[in-house]
Amino acid sequence: MLYASPKNASYYGNRAATLMMLCRFREALEDSQQAVRLDDCFMKGHLREGKCHLSLGNAMAASRCFQKVLELEPSNREAQQENKNATTLLEFERMAEFSFEKRDFRKVVYCMDRALALASACHRFKILKAECLALLGRYPEAQSVASDILRMDSTNADALYVRGLCLYYEDCIDKAVQFFVQALRMAPDHEKARLACRNAKALKAKKEEGNQAFKNCNYEAAYQLYTEALAIDPNNIKTNAKLYCNRATAGAKLKKLNQAIEDCSSAIKLDDTYIKAYLRRAQCYMDTEQYEEAVRDYEKVYQTEKTSDHKHLLKTAQMELKKSKRKDYYKVLGVGKNATEDEIKKAYRKRALMHHPDRHSAATPEVQKEEEKKFKEVGEAFTVLSDPKKKMRYDNGHDLEDDCGFDGRDFDANNIFRAFFGGHGGGFTFDSSPGIIFLFNVDLFFFFFNLIIKCSRSLFVD
């Protein structure tokens, strides 16, 4: 019929109405505009043009059309309502623009959802929503929106950019770069795609450089390269979580254990499902003897992945935690956990003489009590660590109260001292018989005793 009457405005208006029902708003807009060009007083043509503008997200153009309808028919309720919708749409646009500048992406998504309820065919609103969803880490939703647009328009540079952004934030950097490059082909002046492409390439290169330095055992260089990579794009959560964990690994190699723990915590804050970060932090906690924290992390890992390796790590941490809550006999004697039998004996000799009550007879009652306590602990430590069976059970975390009747409460440190020192060195002993002069002058005894040690170590049992 259009071909028969090409200058009939109502025909264009009717076809516009049909196209609108098919959601083909761009084509409907063209017919509506042609209708009002043929007849400027064609009220339905102006109304349909306004509705098409509104559906496509052009609120100001829509408002002009509705104003024209109201000029022709001031009481037209449909035009009045649609004009209010256009005003509401403009307000949501302004709110979204302000919120995006403030990086309040949740508010932008909220505004775009409300705007799309009025402008369902607006690709611009959909793209802005998708971009903010990506920035919020809601990648599947963002990809779904971008993919819907690309199905309708495979050359849409904004949709290509958002699709690449999702891949970039999911740490699929190579694929992301491909989409950014494609977006720049469609729109060479697309500034967001250009910036994202540059960041993606820089991040990939810096991360790979750090990984290579680590493989070459150049941990200082790797640590610095990971630090530089972290500064490239703070918004890339997944990649930055990996970078923090990588830097923690390099830091652990450099004995920067506290910094490594902080880096693992930063990685977990970005991605609380990142098992590798929990494992790395747990190991650092073990190395710094923070066993309760290590157990907590290993429990989290084992709850997520119930493997035999993770179960073994958890049990080891639990055992170390149990052992840490007992007296540390190695610390009491001042020796390492790999100390030899000879080193344990020498350490006992030194600590026993240092804390023997007779040496502190002139001190205050409080000091005497403290030194007596330490003297007893030294003897207790020696009793355990000098006995291979007790030592093995102690090292394995077993309770020694059940081992051969050992009970620290019934322990007599003086007996150990006499057994260790008595019967040698010219018959010197700590028995309190009146005939032993140096019981009345303890300092003099220790002077001669140390002199004997230096001159004739063979007098004592090692």
Side-chain angles (χ1 to χ4, degrees):
M1 294 185 65
L2 280 172
Y3 294 115
S5 304
K7 298 200 182 281
N8 190 322
S10 63
Y11 289 162
Y12 282 100
N14 289 342
R15 189 168 72 173
T18 303
L19 290 168
M20 288 171 68
M21 293 177 69
L22 295 171
C23 296
R24 293 161 61 179
F25 294 104
R26 293 192 183 280
E27 298 170 72
L29 178 61
E30 293 176 7
D31 277 352
S32 299
Q33 289 173 329
Q34 181 61 21
V36 298
R37 276 195 293 269
L38 294 172
D39 181 0
D40 190 50
C41 293
F42 185 33
M43 185 190 65
K44 287 186 178 180
H46 287 295
L47 187 60
R48 286 166 184 156
E49 181 188 355
K51 286 184 176 181
C52 287
H53 279 306
L54 190 63
S55 293
L56 292 168
N58 194 340
M60 293 186 70
S63 185
R64 286 194 295 269
C65 294
F66 299 137
Q67 290 291 343
K68 181 67 176 179
V69 173
L70 292 171
E71 288 175 13
L72 296 171
E73 187 181 319
S75 61
N76 190 303
R77 291 186 177 180
E78 188 175 6
Q80 290 173 354
Q81 182 58 49
E82 294 292 359
N83 198 37
K84 287 181 181 179
N85 289 341
T87 302
T88 302
L89 185 61
L90 277 172
E91 183 59 28
F92 280 128
E93 279 193 82
R94 292 192 190 98
M95 288 171 61
E97 183 180 353
F98 177 79
S99 299
F100 191 88
E101 289 177 359
K102 297 292 184 181
R103 300 187 66 80
D104 186 354
F105 302 125
R106 294 184 190 280
K107 185 67 173 289
V108 177
V109 172
Y110 169 84
C111 291
M112 288 300 95
D113 280 338
R114 299 303 178 277
L116 284 165
L118 300 170
S120 59
C122 182
H123 285 182
R124 182 165 49 88
F125 293 167
K126 290 179 180 179
I127 288 296
L128 181 56
K129 175 185 175 180
E131 182 179 1
C132 290
L133 286 171
L135 292 168
L136 288 168
R138 294 160 64 178
Y139 308 121
E141 296 172 74
Q143 288 186 37
S144 177
V145 175
S147 297
D148 286 344
I149 294 172
L150 289 171
R151 274 193 290 271
M152 292 182 284
D153 179 10
S154 62
T155 64
N156 189 299
D158 290 326
L160 290 167
Y161 158 71
V162 170
R163 188 76 178 85
L165 196 65
C166 292
L167 290 165
Y168 171 59
Y169 285 149
E170 288 183 298
D171 200 33
C172 300
I173 294 180
D174 289 333
K175 287 184 179 179
V177 168
Q178 292 175 11
F179 276 94
F180 294 145
V181 170
Q182 195 175 348
L184 289 168
R185 283 201 201 101
M186 299 299 109
D189 60 344
H190 200 296
E191 191 57 35
K192 287 184 177 180
R194 179 179 288 106
L195 177 61
C197 190
R198 184 168 66 242
N199 282 346
K201 289 179 178 179
L203 196 56
K204 181 174 183 278
K206 192 67 72 174
K207 182 183 175 185
E208 288 179 348
E209 197 177 348
N211 290 347
Q212 189 58 51
F214 187 88
K215 287 177 183 177
N216 294 337
C217 299
N218 192 348
Y219 303 124
E220 285 284 3
Y223 192 93
Q224 182 58 35
L225 287 164
Y226 291 138
T227 301
E228 292 171 10
L230 281 164
I232 292 173
D233 185 1
N235 293 320
N236 196 320
I237 293 172
K238 280 204 170 183
T239 302
N240 286 345
K242 291 182 179 180
L243 287 169
Y244 273 119
C245 193
N246 287 358
R247 191 171 73 172
T249 305
K253 292 287 186 181
L254 296 168
K255 304 303 179 185
K256 298 178 179 180
L257 296 176
N258 290 329
Q259 294 95 317
I261 290 171
E262 290 178 9
D263 277 346
C264 289
S265 297
S266 296
I268 291 166
K269 186 176 181 180
L270 293 176
D271 182 2
D272 62 2
T273 65
Y274 194 11
I275 294 298
K276 192 173 181 180
Y278 284 106
L279 288 170
R280 170 55 55 194
R281 187 171 70 175
Q283 184 58 57
C284 291
Y285 280 141
M286 292 289 286
D287 292 340
T288 53
E289 299 184 2
Q290 299 180 65
Y291 300 120
E292 287 188 11
E293 291 81 356
V295 167
R296 187 167 57 245
D297 277 354
Y298 282 134
E299 284 177 340
K300 172 73 174 178
V301 170
Y302 186 63
Q303 287 169 5
T304 306
E305 295 182 0
K306 295 184 181 295
T307 68
S308 57
D309 286 343
H310 294 161
K311 184 177 182 180
H312 174 72
L313 289 169
L314 175 58
K315 284 194 169 184
T316 300
Q318 289 171 333
M319 179 61 72
E320 290 300 323
L321 174 60
K322 180 182 177 182
K323 288 161 64 175
S324 71
K325 292 182 177 180
R326 308 171 309 169
K327 289 179 183 177
D328 189 336
Y329 290 142
Y330 291 100
K331 284 187 178 179
V332 170
L333 292 183
V335 296
K337 293 184 178 180
N338 297 319
T340 64
E341 184 179 350
D342 182 61
E343 288 171 337
I344 290 171
K345 287 181 178 180
K346 288 180 179 178
Y348 169 70
R349 180 185 296 120
K350 177 180 177 182
R351 293 297 174 100
L353 293 174
M354 182 187 303
H355 298 298
H356 194 283
D358 288 345
R359 192 166 194 174
H360 303 279
S361 58
T364 63
E366 291 79 9
V367 171
Q368 288 183 14
K369 186 175 181 180
E370 183 62 25
E371 292 297 327
E372 184 178 351
K373 178 183 176 183
K374 290 179 180 179
F375 178 69
K376 180 179 179 181
E377 287 180 344
V378 167
E380 187 178 329
F382 179 72
T383 299
V384 172
L385 299 184
S386 63
D387 185 313
K389 289 184 179 179
K390 287 189 177 70
K391 182 176 184 297
M392 182 177 69
R393 288 181 60 80
Y394 175 79
D395 289 341
N396 290 333
H398 295 293
D399 293 326
L400 295 177
E401 285 78 2
D402 300 327
D403 183 33
C404 302
F406 179 83
D407 189 344
R409 291 172 298 179
D410 299 329
F411 176 81
D412 188 344
N414 283 299
N415 289 337
I416 301 297
F417 190 86
R418 293 189 188 98
F420 193 86
F421 290 100
H424 301 282
F428 295 140
T429 173
F430 273 85
D431 289 338
S432 55
S433 59
I436 301 178
I437 300 173
F438 40 77
L439 275 180
F440 300 99
N441 192 333
V442 176
D443 288 335
L444 183 61
F445 164 76
F446 280 104
F447 169 77
F448 284 111
F449 187 80
N450 288 331
L451 184 62
I452 292 170
I453 291 174
K454 292 178 182 179
C455 297
S456 181
R457 291 189 178 276
S458 62
L459 294 176
F460 300 97
V461 178
D462 285 334

